[in-house]
Amino acid sequence: MEAKKLLMIVNPKAGRSKSRGPLYDAAAIFSQAGYLLSIHNTTPEPGDAAAAAAAAGGVYDAVAAVGGDGTLNEVVSGLMSLEHPPLLGYLPQGSTNDFASSLRLPSKPQEAAAAMTAAVPRKLDVGRWNERYFVYVASFGAFTRTSYTATQAAKNALGHFAYILEGMKDVGSLRPYRIKLTADGETLDGEYLFGAVCNSTSIGGLMKLDPERVVLDDGKFELLLIPNPRTAADLQNLVVALLNQEYDREGLVLRHVSSIHLETEEDLPWSLDGEYAPSLPVVDIENRRQALEMLL
């Protein structure tokens, strides 16, 4: 029987404070499972992981992203350029790993590798944001910038706390954004502090969605919009609803949708899986249902 081929795309900067030993253990596990293993260490150049993944088409049976959510985003973007992408694996090595938490993936590389070799391929929806892709969340508004402005050194040293510290800088500049959004035929026109289109139970590590409501391969995203509170009482009620994860009250908008068309005249930067995306007057988001197969 011909051996299977696996490409590990490793971001050496992700979780730099972590020992490299477990990655060698993970590589040994893949080898023992019958994979012929190749390793690509990414360069600091943006897009390197995506290019490596795109080059894997027709060469490898599986590609494993080894790093944080940003590394996974690049690998998925590269695979989405292929007509017949190989299987996807993920060994989380970043500082927050929101998507890995949603998937309940082991945080230790050797355990994630063992789970990957024993897994049955599972279909995974992928989001398309204009011409770019995202795996688990596209967001705008309050605290969105913290995902891509916290330095790598701070994330490695402080982990989740780095995002909280960075987010505190934004508190004084919270402001509403006027948008017009059409989601599966429903139009919403108003001012919102925050918006997210996600396929995950965790958004920025700060907000959690009920796992019973998030299905990774149903062709639907979870759309969450936080409206601009008009009074101090509205703000208090909004905070309580968010803290209690009660997303169906106090004017919060939670929908399950397959496509979104958003228009705005505001300067509205986005974050795609924690990576910066510039403001655009028109954004179209669609769910590419079951676009990839992932070893989970």
Side-chain angles (χ1 to χ4, degrees):
M1 182 180 295
E2 186 177 353
K4 299 171 290 184
K5 296 179 181 179
L6 169 67
L7 174 63
M8 290 175 66
I9 299 178
V10 182
N11 179 358
K13 287 191 173 182
R16 181 175 284 180
S17 60
K18 298 179 181 179
S19 168
R20 299 287 99 180
L23 289 182
Y24 293 108
D25 295 336
I29 289 170
F30 287 135
S31 181
Q32 291 164 8
Y35 282 104
L36 287 177
L37 190 63
S38 297
I39 298 176
H40 174 86
N41 282 323
T42 62
T43 68
E45 191 71 24
D48 183 72
V59 180
Y60 294 94
D61 300 286
V63 173
V66 185
D69 291 334
T71 304
L72 179 65
N73 174 276
E74 277 208 30
V75 169
V76 167
S77 295
L79 294 181
M80 287 296 292
S81 69
L82 302 173
E83 185 176 357
H84 301 290
L87 296 172
L88 170 67
Y90 185 28
L91 275 61
Q93 278 284 283
S95 45
T96 56
N97 304 312
D98 274 336
F99 193 55
S101 298
S102 284
L103 299 174
R104 296 188 176 92
L105 292 180
S107 59
K108 296 180 179 179
Q110 62 270 43
E111 293 179 5
M116 182 176 157
T117 60
V120 175
R122 178 178 172 183
K123 300 286 188 181
L124 177 70
D125 294 345
V126 174
R128 183 178 175 109
W129 184 95
N130 284 1
E131 298 303 314
R132 292 177 61 175
Y133 291 98
F134 63 94
V135 187
Y136 75 96
V137 65
S139 62
F140 67 82
F143 307 121
T144 293
R145 66 183 293 276
T146 67
S147 61
Y148 52 79
T149 54
T151 66
Q152 187 65 52
K155 288 188 282 187
N156 287 342
L158 302 174
H160 228 50
F161 192 55
Y163 291 91
I164 296 173
L165 289 176
E166 194 68 28
M168 290 173 64
K169 300 177 185 178
D170 274 354
V171 171
S173 60
L174 283 180
R175 48 160 293 211
Y177 295 88
R178 183 85 189 186
I179 64 168
K180 181 178 180 180
L181 181 149
T182 302
D184 286 3
E186 177 186 9
T187 298
L188 300 166
D189 190 343
E191 294 185 334
Y192 298 94
L193 295 177
F194 174 84
V197 181
C198 60
N199 197 31
S200 169
T201 59
S202 177
I203 304 174
L206 301 175
M207 284 177 276
K208 303 291 184 181
L209 297 179
D210 183 354
E212 297 297 321
R213 303 182 71 161
V214 179
V215 182
L216 300 180
D217 61 353
D218 63 350
K220 298 282 187 178
F221 291 125
E222 282 61 56
L223 167 66
L224 175 65
L225 296 172
I226 299 178
N228 181 37
R230 298 296 181 181
T231 66
D234 287 344
L235 177 60
Q236 181 178 357
N237 291 334
L238 184 62
V239 170
V240 170
L242 290 171
L243 288 174
N244 293 326
Q245 300 174 36
E246 296 172 345
Y247 300 116
D248 294 319
R249 54 171 287 188
E250 303 305 335
L252 291 169
V253 174
L254 181 62
R255 301 284 191 272
H256 303 278
V257 299
S258 58
S259 64
I260 295 98
H261 176 82
L262 184 147
E263 299 176 12
T264 185
E265 296 180 0
E266 306 266 2
D267 180 16
L268 187 66
W270 289 71
S271 172
L272 307 181
D273 297 337
E275 302 299 306
Y276 172 77
S279 177
L280 292 172
V282 177
V283 168
D284 285 295
I285 299 173
E286 64 175 296
N287 185 297
R288 295 292 181 91
R289 186 178 187 187
Q290 302 181 2
L292 293 177
E293 284 191 281
M294 191 167 188
L295 289 165
L296 295 174

